Amino acid sequence: MKSLPKGVKDDNLIVGYESKDDAAVYKINDEVSIIETLDFFPSMVEDPYLFGQIAATNSLSDVWAMGGKPIMALNIAAFPDGMEPETIGKVLKGGAEKVIEAGCILCGGHTIVDEVPKYGLSVTGIVDTKKVLTNNGVKVGDKIIITKPLGVGILLTAHQCNIDTKEDFNDVVKNMTTLNKYAAEILFNYKVHALTDVTGFGLFSHLNEMLNDNASAKLYIDSIPTINDNVKKYIEDDYYTGGAIRNEDAIKEQIDFGNAKEWIKQLGYDPQTSGGLLCSIDKNDADEAIKELKKLNMKCAIIGEIVEKSEKAIYLL
Ligand code: CO
Ligand code: CO
C-alpha cells in the first residue's frame, strides 16, 4: 500500500455504519478486504471461565457473519477494584482459548476498573473482497437457514430464577460457546446471498434487517429449532427477558402472525447471546447445505423463505 486512506468517507469502506451490518469492511484491493468488529458485555453466568468463552465466541462471530475469517483479536475488559487476579485470569483464559480455536491470534488488549465486570474482543478479520457477505443481499426464492437453536435468553432467565435443570444450563452454555466458524465454513461452500448472526435483537429483528426493500420473508414456525423442550415450557410459564419486551415493541407491527401460538412469538423476540448464523441461501443449495450443517451436532434448520415484498416484512406460517 503506497498511501493510506485519509478518512472514513474513503470509497474503500465498503460496509460502514448505515446498513446496521455485523461489522465494518474496508477494501485493501480487489482480492483482500479487512473486517473490524468490537463487542463486549457484562457476565450472564457465575463461572468466570465460561463467561470468557461466551464473550469471545460472541465477539468473533461477526467476522464469519461478513463472510470472513478472524486473524487477530484484542481483549477489552473492565474489572472491579479488588477482584481476585485468579478470577480475572479465568475470564481471560476462557476468551483466549476460543480465540485460538478460531485460528486467530490474541495480541493484547486494554482493561479498565469498573464496578461491573465486562469482557469481550475487538476482532480483525480478512475476506476475499468479491465474497463479502452483507446482511441484506437476499434474493426472492432464497431459503432461510438458522445454524443454532433459539432460547438463550429464556434459559438464562430460568437459570437466574433457579428453576432450570442442570441439563438446561449445559445446553445453553454449549449453544453460547460453539463458534460460528464451523457452520460458516460449510455455508461458504454454497451460494449464500446474505448472512448475519442472531444476537440481542432476536430472530424476528435480525431477519427484518436482512430484508431489503424488495423482499419479505415467510417463516415456517414449526421448523424453528429450540435449544431444548424446556424453552417452550418456560415461555408458557412467563419466563422471558426485558430485552424480549423491547424487541417485541420494535418489530411487532411488521409481522403477520397468522395463527402462531404466543410462545412462538416470544421465541422470535428472545435475545440471543452468541447466537447462530442466519443465512439467505440459493434455494437449490439449501438442502445440501443443511445436510452438511447437521453433521456439526448443533440443531439447525431451514426455517423460511424470501418472497416478493408484501405489506408486512415477516409472515408466520
Ligand atoms: Co452480528
Ligand atoms: Co455485534
Side-chain angles (χ1 to χ4, degrees), residues 182-228:
Y182 307 104
E185 285 171 355
I186 289 171
L187 289 171
F188 293 168
N189 295 323
Y190 297 97
K191 283 193 218 86
V192 171
H193 295 143
L195 191 64
T196 191
D197 55 356
V198 185
T199 52
F201 299 119
L203 171 66
F204 294 152
S205 288
H206 286 288
L207 176 61
N208 185 47
E209 277 172 9
M210 296 177 85
L211 303 170
N212 48 43
D213 292 341
N214 309 312
S216 290
K218 288 183 177 170
L219 279 182
Y220 321 140
I221 48 176
D222 293 333
S223 304
I224 301 171
T226 54
I227 295 173
N228 64 29

Side-chain angles (χ1 to χ4, degrees), residues 137-155:
V138 299
K139 293 201 167 82
V140 171
D142 281 359
K143 293 288 182 184
I144 302 160
I145 286 177
I146 193 166
T147 68
K148 283 185 190 178
L150 299 176
V152 171
I154 290 146
L155 288 179

Side-chain angles (χ1 to χ4, degrees), residues 22 37-39 58 62 197 199:
D22 297 289
T37 179
L38 184 152
D39 236 323
N58 174 70
D62 282 328
D197 55 356
T199 52

Side-chain angles (χ1 to χ4, degrees), residues 87-124:
T87 309
I88 294 174
K90 284 178 184 165
V91 175
L92 299 179
K93 179 172 185 278
E97 286 182 7
K98 283 294 165 187
V99 172
I100 292 165
E101 186 187 334
C104 181
I105 306 165
L106 189 63
C107 36
H110 187 67
T111 302
I112 60 161
V113 175
D114 192 24
E115 266 172 55
V116 180
K118 298 174 190 79
Y119 175 66
L121 300 169
S122 166
V123 187
T124 301

Side-chain angles (χ1 to χ4, degrees), residues 164-299:
D164 66 328
T165 65
K166 197 160 185 231
E167 281 97 70
D168 289 339
F169 187 68
N170 290 342
D171 290 347
V172 74
V173 166
K174 182 192 168 205
N175 212 67
M176 292 188 288
T177 57
T178 298
L179 292 177
N180 281 334
K181 166 188 162 83
Y182 307 104
E185 285 171 355
I186 289 171
L187 289 171
F188 293 168
N189 295 323
Y190 297 97
K191 283 193 218 86
V192 171
H193 295 143
L195 191 64
T196 191
D197 55 356
V198 185
T199 52
F201 299 119
L203 171 66
F204 294 152
S205 288
H206 286 288
L207 176 61
N208 185 47
E209 277 172 9
M210 296 177 85
L211 303 170
N212 48 43
D213 292 341
N214 309 312
S216 290
K218 288 183 177 170
L219 279 182
Y220 321 140
I221 48 176
D222 293 333
S223 304
I224 301 171
T226 54
I227 295 173
N228 64 29
D229 291 342
N230 280 343
V231 170
K232 175 171 183 267
K233 177 178 179 295
Y234 296 143
I235 297 174
E236 287 176 340
D237 290 343
D238 278 342
Y239 287 94
Y240 45 83
T241 64
I245 295 164
R246 282 192 296 277
N247 291 342
E248 175 172 7
D249 287 343
I251 189 73
K252 66 180 176 199
E253 299 297 331
Q254 298 179 64
I255 301 175
D256 181 322
F257 292 100
N259 298 318
K261 297 228 163 63
E262 185 60 27
W263 82 271
I264 283 285
K265 300 182 196 174
Q266 292 305 326
L267 187 67
Y269 302 135
D270 185 46
Q272 307 301 289
T273 300
S274 191
L277 295 169
L278 191 61
C279 173
S280 187
I281 186 169
D282 190 289
K283 64 175 185 299
N284 296 317
D285 280 5
D287 288 336
E288 208 186 305
I290 205 75
K291 212 170 102 194
E292 291 301 308
L293 287 165
K294 287 202 162 104
K295 293 179 186 165
L296 297 175
N297 273 323
M298 174 62 67
K299 281 191 197 172

